[in-house]
Amino acid sequence: MNDERWIEKPQSSRRDFLKTALASGPLLATVPLVGQSGALTERADWKNVRLSCNLYSFNEPLTKGQMTLEQVLEFCADLGFDAVDPTGYYFPNYPVLPDDSYVYQIKRKAFRLGLDISGTGVRNDFTLPDPSRRKAEIELVRKWIGVAARLGAPVLRIFSGIGKELKPGYHRDEVTTWVVDAIRECTEHAARQGVIIVLQNHADFIQTADHVLDIVKRVDSEWLAVNLDIGSFKIGDPYAQIARVAPFAATWQIKENLFVDGQETVTDLAKIMEIVRHSGYRGYLPIETLGKGDPKQKVPVFYEKVKKALKS
């Protein structure tokens, strides 16, 4: 796929920037940035990059009833986060839509704590061979776009497909067409609600930067961006792939570990921050801790590491 050809038709300054970024090394160390006004700058202004907490970090206590969503918000505010990203799973009776009264209760709670809502997300699968089941998945996303709008979340995270393996008898190009058609329908609805759809690379149907960029190219909507999950590129050099996708990110998931040639290693946060800087990104960097351990201990430790890397 020739990414450079289609990027030359700009819809945003960061899309223009990708043309140069794709031709450079992972850290893009010498590439000037095109700012929002079109002026060249050496790197992004860090005052426009803030930290959020993806509440999947608290998955176990939330799903086991050990903490309420309100208690997690209080914890994040006390720690110093600027925002939170509460996944739809943690609203009562998911995937059934929560009552508006509860959505507004959470919105009010966050506001009173000084927290922005940086995004939310759902679990969907657009790779299902049955068209009626794909239609149901589209409807799920459409409904949660409305929740995101009422919550005040600027983005809604979605997946392409949950499974890694293609169903027997189907080819990637065919399944990609299903995914593209479904996402396009979702983005058209999201545009009317003022919500950006962000496609997460999740080491599922999407496994490489090429997979992400192919879908984004084919949907071709300013209401579609990327939720850049740094821990889910598990083939080859993750830093190079992150750098290629970074100019399309409208939100991130910064994780403790990533995979270099399939081997789990500690994230080089300095390298990640260089990529963030030189992509021209402005917005929230949600962090997400995974694995065993008490998130009330793990999240503060990782938060401090990311904050330090952000200041360096």
Side-chain angles (χ1 to χ4, degrees):
M1 181 180 71
N2 188 337
D3 298 314
E4 295 184 1
R5 289 182 302 170
W6 63 275
I7 292 159
E8 289 176 357
K9 297 184 291 184
Q11 291 186 347
S12 69
S13 59
R14 284 192 286 132
R15 286 196 177 190
D16 293 338
F17 171 67
L18 184 58
K19 179 181 176 183
T20 305
L22 290 175
S24 305
L27 298 188
L28 313 175
T30 62
V31 179
L33 298 182
V34 181
Q36 295 294 329
S37 64
L40 292 177
T41 59
E42 287 302 316
R43 55 178 51 190
D45 188 344
W46 276 134
K47 71 181 181 181
N48 291 318
V49 179
R50 291 145 289 172
L51 296 183
S52 176
C53 184
N54 186 303
L55 298 194
Y56 194 81
S57 301
F58 293 86
N59 182 63
E60 185 171 345
L62 282 169
T63 56
K64 291 187 175 181
Q66 297 166 350
M67 294 181 75
T68 66
L69 192 50
E70 290 90 338
Q71 288 171 333
V72 173
L73 295 185
E74 290 170 357
F75 183 89
C76 291
D78 290 343
L79 192 58
F81 280 104
D82 297 300
V84 290
D85 181 331
T87 304
Y89 320 155
Y90 308 125
F91 287 78
N93 303 315
Y94 176 89
V96 175
L97 299 188
D99 292 338
D100 284 353
S101 60
Y102 183 75
V103 173
Y104 297 146
Q105 177 182 329
I106 295 300
K107 184 176 182 178
R108 178 185 180 279
K109 180 75 172 180
F111 176 75
R112 294 291 288 168
L113 288 169
L115 293 169
D116 287 341
I117 304 291
S118 65
T120 186
V122 294
R123 184 177 179 84
N124 65 285
D125 190 347
F126 293 151
T127 67
L128 299 170
D130 184 345
S132 64
R133 293 185 63 189
R134 291 202 304 275
K135 191 68 177 177
E137 296 292 295
I138 293 170
E139 187 60 25
L140 170 72
V141 173
R142 284 168 57 95
K143 289 179 178 178
W144 277 87
I145 288 169
V147 175
R150 294 190 290 278
L151 184 62
V155 303
L156 178 73
R157 282 178 287 106
I158 65 167
F159 300 128
S160 55
I162 296 170
K164 293 183 181 180
E165 302 297 328
L166 291 172
K167 303 294 190 296
Y170 297 96
H171 300 283
R172 172 166 282 276
D173 285 346
E174 179 181 12
V175 178
T176 299
T177 298
W178 301 344
V179 173
V180 167
D181 289 346
I183 293 177
R184 185 178 293 121
E185 186 172 338
C186 292
T187 57
E188 289 171 356
H189 182 72
R192 294 190 289 271
Q193 299 280 325
V195 175
I196 299 172
I197 297 294
V198 285
L199 177 62
Q200 182 175 346
N201 59 297
H202 196 244
D204 42 35
F205 184 70
I206 291 177
Q207 298 186 43
T208 68
D210 281 338
H211 292 164
V212 179
L213 295 175
D214 183 36
I215 293 172
V216 172
K217 168 191 173 182
R218 290 168 63 174
V219 174
D220 190 23
S221 171
E222 64 182 354
W223 291 94
L224 174 65
V226 176
N227 176 74
L228 211 171
D229 178 350
I230 70 168
S232 288
F233 286 128
K234 298 184 179 182
I235 300 172
D237 178 1
Y239 296 101
Q241 298 196 68
I242 291 164
R244 289 186 65 206
V245 176
F248 288 92
T251 188
W252 293 62
Q253 282 176 220
I254 305 296
K255 294 181 175 178
E256 301 155 290
N257 299 324
L258 43 65
F259 292 81
V260 178
D261 293 321
Q263 298 298 311
E264 188 170 12
T265 61
V266 175
T267 299
D268 185 335
L269 289 173
K271 189 178 290 188
I272 291 296
M273 293 309 161
E274 273 301 283
I275 294 172
V276 174
R277 278 190 178 102
H278 289 285
S279 72
Y281 180 77
R282 298 181 181 187
Y284 283 107
L285 291 178
I287 72 169
E288 182 179 284
T289 61
L290 302 174
K292 297 179 179 179
D294 183 355
K296 288 186 288 186
Q297 296 179 2
K298 294 179 64 176
V299 170
V301 170
F302 192 49
Y303 170 74
E304 290 298 330
K305 289 181 179 179
V306 176
K307 188 166 68 171
K308 181 179 179 180
L310 194 60
K311 292 180 178 179
S312 64

